[in-house]
C-alpha cells in the first residue's frame, strides 16, 4: 500500500509541476524578449547629410 500511495503522490506532483514550470519558462522568455526590445534604439539616417559629406 505504501508503494501505491507514493506512486499516486508522485503522479499528482508531476501533474501540478509540469504546467507550472511551462508557465514559468514562458513568462521568463516573454520578459527577455520585452527587455531586448526596450534596449533597441531607433536610428534616423539623413540622406542629405551623407550626400554633402562626399
Amino acid at each position: 500500500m505504501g508503494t501505491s500511495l507514493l506512486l499516486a503522490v508522485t503522479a499528482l506532483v508531476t501533474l501540478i509541476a509540469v504546467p507550472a514550470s511551462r508557465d514559468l519558462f514562458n513568462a521568463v522568455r516573454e520578459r527577455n524578449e520585452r527587455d531586448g526590445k526596450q534596449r533597441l534604439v531607433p536610428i534616423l539616417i539623413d540622406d542629405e547629410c551623407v550626400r554633402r559629406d562626399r
Side-chain angles (χ1 to χ4, degrees):
M1 179 158 163
T3 305
S4 60
L5 180 62
L6 183 61
L7 183 61
V9 170
T10 304
L12 181 63
V13 168
T14 303
L15 287 174
I16 293 171
V18 170
S21 62
R22 188 180 308 137
D23 290 342
L24 177 65
F25 290 142
N26 286 338
V28 169
R29 188 183 69 214
E30 288 174 7
R31 181 176 179 200
N32 288 338
E33 289 175 0
R34 188 173 54 243
D35 289 345
K37 288 179 183 178
Q38 288 177 351
R39 284 186 295 233
L40 294 177
V41 178
I43 299 174
L44 177 64
I45 299 175
D46 187 12
D47 288 339
E48 292 180 16
C49 289
V50 173
R51 289 183 193 144
R52 273 190 254 139
D53 291 339
R54 289 185 184 183

